[in-house]
Amino acid sequence: MNIVLIGFRGSGKTSIGREVAALLGRPFVDTDALIVQAVGKTIREIFAAEGEAGFRRREVAAVASAAEGDNQVIALGGGAVLNPVNIAGLKARQAKVVWLWASPKTLHTRIQADASTNASRPNLTAGGGLEEVQNLLAARLPLYEGAADATLDVGGISVEEAARKVAALWPH
Ligand code: S3P
């Protein structure tokens, strides 16, 4: 059974996912990393060359490829829930989905603090910033909520604590 982490940018899917995988002794798969590896460009470069639509097509392929494996911890990109095919494909193989939740302000602060943001993360709306986080998170809330088998509030807890909580949900 795959454990899948979803949530907005800055929610800690990759760092928490890595730690959950270590705790459970499972492989860790990050679908953004699969895309970057396959294309040989950063996500920002893929958005620039192919638009968001091109990136989303590649994301469907990456999620489908991750879904073929079993007993992994999989971190999805923040927008992977936009196409229902992604979650449906994972759940068809019994995946359990955890939504890592934090407030827009916390997410924005974490995105700003992440040195890789400017180099690799494209703005998703014209303005970017806190407003982008607020608007996109509001629009995506029903999708995260609908996909989640469990929700974890990651505001104010460490990566290690969050990982322990996720690992305790489905320990085997
Ligand atoms: C996106 C989030 C990113 C990446 C892409 C689009 C989004 O993943 O897939 O830039 O639409 O929220 P992270 O959530 O891992 O940063």
Side-chain angles (χ1 to χ4, degrees):
M1 182 199 80
N2 286 318
I3 295 177
V4 178
L5 303 185
I6 61 168
F8 206 78
R9 284 175 169 176
S11 58
K13 299 178 296 291
T14 302
S15 42
I16 294 169
R18 241 187 226 121
E19 189 71 23
V20 174
L23 286 173
L24 297 177
R26 295 173 176 220
F28 174 65
V29 179
D30 181 320
T31 58
D32 279 345
L34 289 182
I35 298 165
V36 167
Q37 225 169 44
V39 186
K41 292 180 184 166
T42 66
I43 291 175
R44 181 185 272 270
E45 287 166 345
I46 298 170
F47 266 66
E50 304 173 13
E52 181 171 350
F55 173 78
R56 297 294 174 204
R57 277 193 295 276
R58 294 188 180 278
E59 186 169 51
V60 168
V63 174
S65 137
E68 281 172 17
D70 198 12
N71 290 322
Q72 311 162 104
V73 178
I74 302 173
L76 299 186
V81 291
L82 293 169
N83 188 336
V85 158
N86 290 325
I87 297 294
L90 289 156
K91 289 208 170 183
R93 292 166 180 256
Q94 272 67 51
K96 293 290 186 192
V97 177
V98 190
W99 174 22
L100 305 181
W101 185 90
S103 70
K105 217 165 164 251
T106 299
L107 294 169
H108 181 244
T109 306
R110 290 189 187 176
I111 294 167
Q112 295 292 103
D114 182 348
S116 70
T117 290
N118 281 336
S120 63
R121 283 180 168 141
N123 279 350
L124 298 170
T125 55
L130 178 59
E131 210 169 304
E132 174 175 290
V133 177
Q134 285 166 332
N135 294 338
L136 281 187
L137 184 60
R140 290 177 182 178
L141 275 183
L143 301 174
Y144 290 133
E145 207 163 19
D149 296 299
T151 303
L152 179 64
D153 181 348
V154 292
I157 64 172
S158 66
V159 167
E160 290 72 24
E161 194 175 347
R164 276 197 299 275
K165 289 188 173 186
V166 173
L169 289 169
W170 302 285
H172 301 298

